[in-house]
Amino acid sequence: MSSGALERDLLAAASLGVYDFDDALYLPTASLTGRLFPKERIWRRAVEAADTVIAGNSVLADQASQLNRNTVVIPSCVNPNEYRMKTDFHLSETPRAIWIGSPSTERFLQAISAELLHAHRTHGLRLTIVSAGEAPLGALDAMVDRVGWDIGTFANVLASADFGVMPLPDDPWSRGKCAYKLLQYGASGLPMIGSPVGANREVLSLCEGLAPETESDWVDVLETVINESATARAARGVAGRRAIEAHYSFRAWQGEWCRAMDVE
């Protein structure tokens, strides 16, 4: 494990040292590993030593720019061509929401478990979880179908759902996240529902996603996306795909990335 000295020395020795980060690594962690090898110390040393710092959103950039004036924002991006665009927006016989992510973030689904279960009881909603996780999710297990992430199949799994969800708590860590799940939903042409926290807020706005803030809001927006017409869902999906291509694709940010890397 590193204390940050290795990263600092590598960046300082490079002809152009670039440090790119997309999480709030400057926040302290309470785990034993976090206390022994603090991520915030590693992050600080890397930011201070880099010639250029690339931050995934403005919240992260605000922190890094206090230590390194040469900080630029280049958002997390996706390659839309790696995703299969959804084409049929008629609701599945069994309505299906989808969530994609890592086992460590599955816990965020617990915050909307009551609202998801309400939609399960009233509309038969099922939730596909694309993750390497296997831990039980309590009452949610009654409506969850698990699919392991696989590079050859994940795009088809996303496009087979009716809409994507991304709940987040409003806390400092979540405000530093880069909305990657929403970017994947948008690249797939999926209507999306997400908590308007941090980078999520702008992505949801550009993609015509639904942005519930309270428990009752989640009940309402789940009802909305399930009950609205296929035409309305298609409009959300197409708007999302276009927004990802224009604002969050590698192609859209290629020029800015090359300038940050000092590449002609």
CSV table of all heavy atoms in Angstrom, one decimal, residues 109-145:
chain,number,residue,atom,x,y,z
A,109,LEU,N,-29.3,1.4,-2.9
A,109,LEU,CA,-30.7,1.0,-3.3
A,109,LEU,C,-31.6,0.9,-2.0
A,109,LEU,O,-32.8,1.0,-2.2
A,109,LEU,CB,-30.7,-0.3,-4.0
A,109,LEU,CG,-30.1,-0.3,-5.4
A,109,LEU,CD1,-29.8,-1.7,-5.9
A,109,LEU,CD2,-31.1,0.4,-6.4
A,110,GLN,N,-31.0,0.6,-0.9
A,110,GLN,CA,-31.8,0.5,0.3
A,110,GLN,C,-32.6,1.8,0.6
A,110,GLN,O,-33.7,1.7,1.2
A,110,GLN,CB,-30.9,0.2,1.5
A,110,GLN,CG,-30.2,-1.2,1.4
A,110,GLN,CD,-31.1,-2.4,1.6
A,110,GLN,OE1,-32.3,-2.2,1.8
A,110,GLN,NE2,-30.5,-3.6,1.5
A,111,ALA,N,-32.1,2.9,0.2
A,111,ALA,CA,-32.7,4.2,0.5
A,111,ALA,C,-34.1,4.3,-0.2
A,111,ALA,O,-34.9,5.1,0.2
A,111,ALA,CB,-31.8,5.4,0.1
A,112,ILE,N,-34.3,3.6,-1.3
A,112,ILE,CA,-35.5,3.7,-2.0
A,112,ILE,C,-36.2,2.3,-2.0
A,112,ILE,O,-37.1,2.0,-2.9
A,112,ILE,CB,-35.4,4.2,-3.4
A,112,ILE,CG1,-34.4,3.3,-4.3
A,112,ILE,CG2,-34.9,5.6,-3.4
A,112,ILE,CD1,-34.5,3.6,-5.8
A,113,SER,N,-35.9,1.4,-1.1
A,113,SER,CA,-36.5,0.1,-1.1
A,113,SER,C,-38.0,0.1,-0.9
A,113,SER,O,-38.7,-0.6,-1.6
A,113,SER,CB,-35.8,-0.8,0.0
A,113,SER,OG,-36.0,-0.2,1.3
A,114,ALA,N,-38.5,1.0,0.0
A,114,ALA,CA,-39.9,1.1,0.2
A,114,ALA,C,-40.6,1.5,-1.1
A,114,ALA,O,-41.7,1.0,-1.4
A,114,ALA,CB,-40.2,2.0,1.3
A,115,GLU,N,-40.0,2.5,-1.8
A,115,GLU,CA,-40.7,3.0,-3.0
A,115,GLU,C,-40.6,2.0,-4.2
A,115,GLU,O,-41.6,1.8,-4.9
A,115,GLU,CB,-40.0,4.3,-3.4
A,115,GLU,CG,-40.1,5.5,-2.5
A,115,GLU,CD,-39.4,5.3,-1.1
A,115,GLU,OE1,-38.3,4.7,-1.2
A,115,GLU,OE2,-39.9,5.7,-0.1
A,116,LEU,N,-39.5,1.3,-4.3
A,116,LEU,CA,-39.4,0.2,-5.3
A,116,LEU,C,-40.4,-0.9,-5.0
A,116,LEU,O,-41.1,-1.4,-5.9
A,116,LEU,CB,-38.0,-0.3,-5.4
A,116,LEU,CG,-36.9,0.6,-6.0
A,116,LEU,CD1,-35.6,0.0,-5.7
A,116,LEU,CD2,-37.2,0.8,-7.5
A,117,LEU,N,-40.5,-1.3,-3.7
A,117,LEU,CA,-41.4,-2.3,-3.3
A,117,LEU,C,-42.9,-1.9,-3.6
A,117,LEU,O,-43.7,-2.8,-3.9
A,117,LEU,CB,-41.2,-2.8,-1.9
A,117,LEU,CG,-39.9,-3.6,-1.7
A,117,LEU,CD1,-39.5,-3.6,-0.2
A,117,LEU,CD2,-40.1,-5.0,-2.2
A,118,HIS,N,-43.2,-0.7,-3.4
A,118,HIS,CA,-44.5,-0.2,-3.6
A,118,HIS,C,-44.9,-0.4,-5.1
A,118,HIS,O,-46.0,-0.8,-5.5
A,118,HIS,CB,-44.6,1.3,-3.3
A,118,HIS,CG,-46.0,1.9,-3.6
A,118,HIS,ND1,-47.1,1.7,-2.9
A,118,HIS,CD2,-46.3,2.7,-4.7
A,118,HIS,CE1,-48.1,2.4,-3.5
A,118,HIS,NE2,-47.7,3.0,-4.6
A,119,ALA,N,-43.9,0.0,-6.0
A,119,ALA,CA,-44.1,-0.2,-7.4
A,119,ALA,C,-44.2,-1.7,-7.8
A,119,ALA,O,-44.9,-2.1,-8.7
A,119,ALA,CB,-43.0,0.5,-8.2
A,120,HIS,N,-43.5,-2.5,-7.1
A,120,HIS,CA,-43.5,-3.9,-7.3
A,120,HIS,C,-44.9,-4.5,-6.9
A,120,HIS,O,-45.5,-5.3,-7.7
A,120,HIS,CB,-42.5,-4.6,-6.4
A,120,HIS,CG,-42.6,-6.1,-6.4
A,120,HIS,ND1,-42.4,-6.9,-7.5
A,120,HIS,CD2,-42.8,-7.0,-5.3
A,120,HIS,CE1,-42.5,-8.2,-7.2
A,120,HIS,NE2,-42.7,-8.2,-5.9
A,121,ARG,N,-45.5,-4.0,-5.8
A,121,ARG,CA,-46.8,-4.4,-5.4
A,121,ARG,C,-47.9,-3.9,-6.4
A,121,ARG,O,-48.9,-4.6,-6.7
A,121,ARG,CB,-47.1,-4.0,-4.0
A,121,ARG,CG,-46.3,-4.7,-2.9
A,121,ARG,CD,-46.8,-4.4,-1.5
A,121,ARG,NE,-46.8,-3.0,-1.2
A,121,ARG,CZ,-45.7,-2.4,-0.7
A,121,ARG,NH1,-44.7,-3.1,-0.4
A,121,ARG,NH2,-45.8,-1.1,-0.4
A,122,THR,N,-47.8,-2.7,-6.8
A,122,THR,CA,-48.9,-2.0,-7.6
A,122,THR,C,-48.8,-2.3,-9.1
A,122,THR,O,-49.8,-2.3,-9.8
A,122,THR,CB,-48.9,-0.5,-7.3
A,122,THR,OG1,-47.6,0.0,-7.7
A,122,THR,CG2,-49.2,-0.2,-5.9
A,123,HIS,N,-47.5,-2.5,-9.6
A,123,HIS,CA,-47.3,-2.7,-11.0
A,123,HIS,C,-46.5,-3.9,-11.4
A,123,HIS,O,-46.3,-4.1,-12.6
A,123,HIS,CB,-46.6,-1.4,-11.6
A,123,HIS,CG,-47.4,-0.2,-11.4
A,123,HIS,ND1,-48.5,0.2,-12.2
A,123,HIS,CD2,-47.3,0.9,-10.6
A,123,HIS,CE1,-49.0,1.3,-11.9
A,123,HIS,NE2,-48.3,1.8,-10.9
A,124,GLY,N,-46.1,-4.7,-10.4
A,124,GLY,CA,-45.3,-5.9,-10.7
A,124,GLY,C,-43.9,-5.6,-11.1
A,124,GLY,O,-43.2,-6.4,-11.7
A,125,LEU,N,-43.4,-4.4,-10.8
A,125,LEU,CA,-42.0,-3.9,-11.1
A,125,LEU,C,-41.0,-4.9,-10.6
A,125,LEU,O,-41.0,-5.3,-9.5
A,125,LEU,CB,-41.7,-2.5,-10.6
A,125,LEU,CG,-40.4,-2.0,-10.9
A,125,LEU,CD1,-40.3,-1.6,-12.4
A,125,LEU,CD2,-40.1,-0.7,-10.1
A,126,ARG,N,-40.0,-5.3,-11.5
A,126,ARG,CA,-38.9,-6.0,-11.1
A,126,ARG,C,-37.6,-5.1,-11.3
A,126,ARG,O,-37.6,-4.2,-12.0
A,126,ARG,CB,-38.7,-7.3,-12.0
A,126,ARG,CG,-39.9,-8.2,-12.0
A,126,ARG,CD,-40.0,-9.0,-10.7
A,126,ARG,NE,-38.8,-9.8,-10.5
A,126,ARG,CZ,-38.7,-10.6,-9.4
A,126,ARG,NH1,-39.6,-10.6,-8.4
A,126,ARG,NH2,-37.6,-11.3,-9.2
A,127,LEU,N,-36.6,-5.5,-10.5
A,127,LEU,CA,-35.3,-4.7,-10.6
A,127,LEU,C,-34.2,-5.6,-10.9
A,127,LEU,O,-33.9,-6.6,-10.2
A,127,LEU,CB,-35.1,-4.1,-9.2
A,127,LEU,CG,-33.7,-3.3,-9.1
A,127,LEU,CD1,-33.6,-2.1,-10.0
A,127,LEU,CD2,-33.5,-2.9,-7.6
A,128,THR,N,-33.5,-5.4,-12.1
A,128,THR,CA,-32.3,-6.1,-12.5
A,128,THR,C,-31.1,-5.4,-11.9
A,128,THR,O,-31.0,-4.2,-12.0
A,128,THR,CB,-32.2,-6.2,-14.0
A,128,THR,OG1,-33.3,-6.9,-14.5
A,128,THR,CG2,-30.9,-6.8,-14.4
A,129,ILE,N,-30.3,-6.1,-11.2
A,129,ILE,CA,-29.0,-5.6,-10.6
A,129,ILE,C,-27.9,-6.2,-11.4
A,129,ILE,O,-27.7,-7.4,-11.4
A,129,ILE,CB,-28.9,-5.8,-9.1
A,129,ILE,CG1,-30.0,-5.1,-8.3
A,129,ILE,CG2,-27.5,-5.4,-8.6
A,129,ILE,CD1,-29.9,-5.3,-6.8
A,130,VAL,N,-27.1,-5.3,-12.1
A,130,VAL,CA,-26.0,-5.8,-12.8
A,130,VAL,C,-24.7,-5.5,-12.0
A,130,VAL,O,-24.3,-4.3,-11.9
A,130,VAL,CB,-25.8,-5.1,-14.2
A,130,VAL,CG1,-24.7,-5.7,-15.0
A,130,VAL,CG2,-27.1,-5.3,-15.0
A,131,SER,N,-24.2,-6.5,-11.4
A,131,SER,CA,-23.1,-6.3,-10.4
A,131,SER,C,-22.4,-7.6,-10.1
A,131,SER,O,-23.0,-8.7,-10.4
A,131,SER,CB,-23.7,-5.8,-9.1
A,131,SER,OG,-22.9,-5.8,-8.0
A,132,ALA,N,-21.2,-7.5,-9.5
A,132,ALA,CA,-20.6,-8.7,-9.1
A,132,ALA,C,-21.0,-9.1,-7.7
A,132,ALA,O,-20.5,-10.1,-7.1
A,132,ALA,CB,-19.0,-8.5,-9.1
A,133,GLY,N,-21.9,-8.4,-7.1
A,133,GLY,CA,-22.3,-8.6,-5.7
A,133,GLY,C,-23.3,-9.8,-5.6
A,133,GLY,O,-24.0,-10.1,-6.6
A,134,GLU,N,-23.3,-10.3,-4.4
A,134,GLU,CA,-24.3,-11.4,-4.1
A,134,GLU,C,-24.9,-11.2,-2.7
A,134,GLU,O,-25.7,-12.1,-2.3
A,134,GLU,CB,-23.5,-12.8,-4.1
A,134,GLU,CG,-23.0,-13.1,-5.5
A,134,GLU,CD,-22.2,-14.5,-5.4
A,134,GLU,OE1,-22.0,-15.0,-4.3
A,134,GLU,OE2,-21.9,-15.0,-6.5
A,135,ALA,N,-24.6,-10.2,-2.0
A,135,ALA,CA,-25.1,-9.9,-0.7
A,135,ALA,C,-26.6,-9.7,-0.7
A,135,ALA,O,-27.1,-9.1,-1.6
A,135,ALA,CB,-24.4,-8.7,0.0
A,136,PRO,N,-27.3,-10.2,0.3
A,136,PRO,CA,-28.8,-10.0,0.3
A,136,PRO,C,-29.1,-8.5,0.5
A,136,PRO,O,-28.4,-7.8,1.2
A,136,PRO,CB,-29.2,-10.9,1.5
A,136,PRO,CG,-28.0,-11.1,2.4
A,136,PRO,CD,-26.9,-11.1,1.4
A,137,LEU,N,-30.3,-8.1,0.0
A,137,LEU,CA,-30.7,-6.8,0.1
A,137,LEU,C,-32.0,-6.7,0.9
A,137,LEU,O,-32.8,-5.7,0.7
A,137,LEU,CB,-30.9,-6.2,-1.3
A,137,LEU,CG,-29.6,-6.0,-2.1
A,137,LEU,CD1,-29.9,-5.6,-3.5
A,137,LEU,CD2,-28.7,-4.9,-1.5
A,138,GLY,N,-32.2,-7.6,1.8
A,138,GLY,CA,-33.4,-7.5,2.6
A,138,GLY,C,-34.7,-7.7,1.8
A,138,GLY,O,-34.8,-8.6,0.9
A,139,ALA,N,-35.7,-6.9,2.1
A,139,ALA,CA,-37.0,-7.0,1.5
A,139,ALA,C,-36.9,-6.9,0.0
A,139,ALA,O,-37.7,-7.4,-0.8
A,139,ALA,CB,-37.9,-6.0,2.1
A,140,LEU,N,-35.9,-6.1,-0.5
A,140,LEU,CA,-35.8,-5.9,-2.0
A,140,LEU,C,-35.5,-7.2,-2.7
A,140,LEU,O,-35.8,-7.3,-3.9
A,140,LEU,CB,-34.6,-5.0,-2.3
A,140,LEU,CG,-34.9,-3.5,-2.3
A,140,LEU,CD1,-33.6,-2.7,-2.6
A,140,LEU,CD2,-36.0,-3.2,-3.3
A,141,ASP,N,-35.0,-8.3,-2.0
A,141,ASP,CA,-34.7,-9.5,-2.7
A,141,ASP,C,-36.0,-10.1,-3.4
A,141,ASP,O,-35.9,-10.9,-4.3
A,141,ASP,CB,-34.1,-10.5,-1.7
A,141,ASP,CG,-32.7,-10.2,-1.4
A,141,ASP,OD1,-32.0,-9.4,-2.1
A,141,ASP,OD2,-32.2,-10.6,-0.3
A,142,ALA,N,-37.2,-9.7,-2.9
A,142,ALA,CA,-38.4,-10.3,-3.5
A,142,ALA,C,-38.6,-9.8,-4.9
A,142,ALA,O,-39.4,-10.4,-5.6
A,142,ALA,CB,-39.6,-9.8,-2.6
A,143,MET,N,-38.0,-8.7,-5.3
A,143,MET,CA,-38.2,-8.2,-6.6
A,143,MET,C,-36.9,-8.0,-7.5
A,143,MET,O,-36.9,-7.5,-8.6
A,143,MET,CB,-38.9,-6.8,-6.6
A,143,MET,CG,-38.0,-5.7,-5.9
A,143,MET,SD,-38.8,-4.1,-5.9
A,143,MET,CE,-38.8,-3.6,-7.6
A,144,VAL,N,-35.8,-8.6,-7.0
A,144,VAL,CA,-34.5,-8.4,-7.6
A,144,VAL,C,-34.1,-9.6,-8.4
A,144,VAL,O,-34.3,-10.8,-8.0
A,144,VAL,CB,-33.4,-8.1,-6.6
A,144,VAL,CG1,-32.0,-8.4,-7.1
A,144,VAL,CG2,-33.5,-6.7,-6.0
A,145,ASP,N,-33.6,-9.4,-9.6
A,145,ASP,CA,-33.0,-10.4,-10.5
A,145,ASP,C,-31.6,-10.0,-10.7
A,145,ASP,O,-31.3,-8.9,-11.2
A,145,ASP,CB,-33.7,-10.5,-11.8
A,145,ASP,CG,-35.2,-10.9,-11.6
A,145,ASP,OD1,-35.5,-12.0,-11.0
A,145,ASP,OD2,-36.1,-10.1,-12.0
